[in-house]
Amino acid sequence: ERERERERERTKMKMYQLTSCVGVSTGAAVVQGNRPQPGQPTQQQKDDGAEVYLLKVARSKGGHLVATSLSDYTVRVYQHDAGGDNLCCSVRAHEGPVTDVLFPFHQGSLVNIMMTASEDGSVKTWDLSNAQQARCINTVVCDGRRSPVWSISVSNSGELLAASSQHGVLIWKKAGTTVDTSGLNSFKWKKIVALEESFCDIVTQVLFHPYHYSSLGSQEPLVLTACGEDGLVCVFDINKGTDEDDNLLGVLNVGRSIASVGFFGEMHGQKECNFLWCRTNDETFQVWNWTNQGLLVAGSRQHFSIKVDYFLDCHWDVHQYELNLVVGTNEGSIFIFALDDTQNLQQPQPRLKGALNGGHQGVVRWIESSSAPSDYLTCGEDGKLCSWRPQTKEEAARGGHHQQHHQHHQQQQQHGLASRAQGNSMRNARRFKPY
């Protein structure tokens, strides 16, 4: 009976409650019950009248700081707590669109270090020890051509920085960290490796293995993966040497332009993460065993039980041991599906697992899932940063009827967004681009 109860709990659909919403036009948090009405404009306007999108959201270790990148080349930093997201500072981070933002370090004072990448060809390191004033403490330029940087990743040891560009993957080693008299950090990075022979087109994402903590030059593996528009996922072990022929472990031929990838598969304390998910620019997904280059699952929007306009993200549920697929609609609804027993799955049959509705009024660009399933952060083209938590049983019972009525009313008011939805073909073509 206990096993049946656990199975019922596992397969039950979970509704998520919008706890706070921040519009970039004001920077003020809108708490639950006081958020803008459907159709109320929330976008910030550039000087030329163009809308400003939120492109990505990142959370620091411990979750006290949240950073969002905007399409006007700025980054906003918020103090994140149960009461909502309160704006700390906003900084024009680059001279081109910001393509990536992350908090790479997980301990000590370094948890306040933020890194950004941009189409202007640079990677910047920021000290947020004083969250009211972001200070740039290091700038790395990829090459003399100012090639755009599409993605960055830092190894778990904090020793290596990798960046994807037009021509391949560049890797730097941290050459030193100092603290000045004011207590602020200073960084230096030294370029050590360029991986360019394995790629034929733009490299859209680079990612270090989430559980490899070894230092450069040790006998332990230090795995890095990168994907691109040529439809290939390359897996490297940086500790096998600086020669690309030596450190290339394998190549996965996805056959489609790839938007993003991720490691997953930790189970019962085992953290090998021998699997990779891939999300493509034409809205399909694949699951691979990267250790033997075996394709396990290949699916598309047609395999879902509801209307799906685009794939947003994938993440691994460490409690249920299943891969979560996050999808969205042009009207702003977000749904979470689960792939059960991924290793033995012959045909993808995603199971509807959760929904995040009532927060966004347009295409959602990013979902931050490091605290899933207890907490999600989302941002999108409506210029809003939203925080979510699971509904309680009381909230679900009290708000079910009201939520259905609200969603129907919202869909009616958002009918005018159809023309905007038609522009989704550009998103499908090169979704990793800011706009």
Side-chain angles (χ1 to χ4, degrees):
E1 180 62 30
R2 284 195 298 268
E3 287 295 328
R4 286 195 293 269
E5 179 62 28
R6 278 196 291 266
E7 180 64 16
R8 283 194 296 269
E9 184 65 26
R10 187 181 72 87
T11 58
K12 183 171 63 177
M13 180 176 170
K14 183 178 295 184
M15 299 298 297
Y16 281 82
Q17 185 80 23
L18 179 66
T19 58
S20 73
C21 179
V22 179
V24 297
S25 57
T26 62
V30 182
V31 298
Q32 177 188 351
N34 193 33
R35 60 179 181 264
Q37 294 300 312
Q40 180 178 339
T42 58
Q43 294 93 339
Q44 185 180 11
Q45 300 291 319
K46 286 185 181 180
D47 293 338
D48 59 5
E51 293 176 352
V52 175
Y53 297 164
L54 295 186
L55 305 174
K56 184 175 180 179
V57 55
R59 190 194 320 241
S60 66
K61 184 67 173 179
H64 65 291
L65 291 178
V66 167
T68 60
S69 58
L70 283 69
S71 57
D72 63 354
Y73 314 166
T74 64
V75 172
R76 290 194 171 201
V77 179
Y78 297 86
Q79 188 76 35
H80 179 70
D81 54 38
D85 299 295
N86 299 301
L87 182 64
C88 295
C89 66
S90 178
V91 58
R92 184 180 175 91
H94 292 271
E95 297 305 314
V98 180
T99 55
D100 207 354
V101 56
L102 57 85
F103 290 89
F105 304 109
H106 300 159
Q107 58 185 0
S109 62
L110 297 184
V111 298
N112 296 317
I113 296 297
M114 178 182 72
M115 300 190 73
T116 59
S118 170
E119 286 189 38
D120 66 8
S122 68
V123 178
K124 293 186 178 182
T125 306
W126 304 83
D127 192 319
L128 301 178
S129 299
N130 178 4
Q132 305 300 320
Q133 183 178 5
R135 188 183 77 138
C136 182
I137 56 176
N138 182 264
T139 300
V140 171
V141 177
C142 277
D143 53 46
R145 297 166 289 189
R146 283 279 182 173
S147 300
V149 182
W150 303 116
S151 170
I152 53 176
S153 181
V154 174
S155 62
N156 278 305
S157 66
E159 183 183 21
L160 299 180
L161 164 67
S164 64
S165 69
Q166 301 280 96
H167 310 287
V169 175
L170 302 175
I171 300 176
W172 292 263
K173 181 178 179 181
K174 189 162 62 176
T177 304
T178 59
V179 179
D180 61 22
T181 55
S182 63
L184 296 174
N185 296 289
S186 179
F187 276 71
K188 291 183 179 180
W189 298 95
K190 179 181 179 181
K191 189 183 297 184
I192 58 170
V193 177
L195 305 172
E196 298 180 337
E197 298 176 3
S198 302
F199 305 97
C200 303
D201 211 328
I202 294 173
V203 181
T204 54
Q205 188 183 2
V206 61
L207 184 67
F208 279 101
H209 192 286
Y211 293 109
H212 284 181
Y213 291 88
S214 57
S215 300
L216 183 67
S218 72
Q219 298 300 313
E220 298 297 320
L222 183 55
V223 170
L224 172 79
T225 188
C227 64
E229 289 194 333
D230 57 5
L232 301 179
V233 179
C234 297
V235 183
F236 304 91
D237 184 352
I238 305 303
N239 274 341
K240 288 187 176 294
T242 57
D243 188 277
E244 198 162 339
D245 292 332
D246 295 333
N247 58 38
L248 181 64
L249 297 179
V251 178
L252 315 180
N253 187 0
V254 174
R256 301 166 181 267
S257 175
I258 308 169
S260 59
V261 297
F263 290 95
F264 74 94
E266 59 267 40
M267 303 178 78
H268 307 293
Q270 303 297 317
K271 298 181 178 181
E272 286 85 358
C273 289
N274 293 333
F275 306 98
L276 278 173
W277 58 261
C278 304
R279 178 175 62 83
T280 68
N281 284 310
D282 60 352
E283 312 304 347
T284 69
F285 68 92
Q286 294 185 14
V287 175
W288 291 75
N289 183 327
W290 61 267
T291 62
N292 60 17
Q293 290 99 61
L295 176 63
L296 302 176
V297 180
S300 66
R301 290 179 290 179
Q302 299 175 349
H303 291 100
F304 290 82
S305 57
I306 62 172
K307 172 197 172 186
V308 172
D309 290 317
Y310 54 88
F311 288 99
L312 189 58
D313 185 42
C314 298
H315 60 272
W316 178 247
D317 189 327
V318 296
H319 304 291
Q320 302 294 344
Y321 306 127
E322 56 191 14
L323 182 64
N324 290 341
L325 309 177
V326 186
V327 300
T329 68
N330 293 329
E331 294 76 30
S333 294
I334 308 169
F335 298 96
I336 302 173
F337 285 80
L339 276 183
D340 299 315
D341 195 13
T342 303
Q343 299 179 61
N344 300 318
L345 195 63
Q346 299 302 315
Q347 292 293 331
Q349 297 177 338
R351 183 188 81 250
L352 185 57
K353 183 177 180 178
L356 294 75
N357 292 326
H360 291 281
Q361 299 170 338
V363 172
V364 178
R365 283 297 189 108
W366 199 268
I367 182 167
E368 205 285 327
S369 56
S370 63
S371 297
S374 61
D375 184 18
Y376 285 102
L377 294 169
T378 58
C379 67
E381 295 184 2
D382 58 0
K384 292 196 290 185
L385 168 66
C386 295
S387 300
W388 308 82
R389 62 163 174 78
Q391 277 187 347
T392 63
K393 293 181 180 180
E394 292 75 14
E395 288 171 337
R398 183 173 62 249
H401 175 74
H402 172 74
Q403 186 174 23
Q404 290 178 1
H405 174 76
H406 172 72
Q407 289 176 8
H408 177 70
H409 178 68
Q410 186 181 43
Q411 290 174 0
Q412 287 182 323
Q413 295 219 4
Q414 291 176 348
H415 184 69
L417 292 175
S419 59
R420 186 175 186 175
Q422 293 297 324
N424 200 43
S425 59
M426 293 180 62
R427 172 186 174 88
N428 293 341
R430 294 182 67 175
R431 288 190 57 217
F432 71 93
K433 290 280 287 181
Y435 52 86

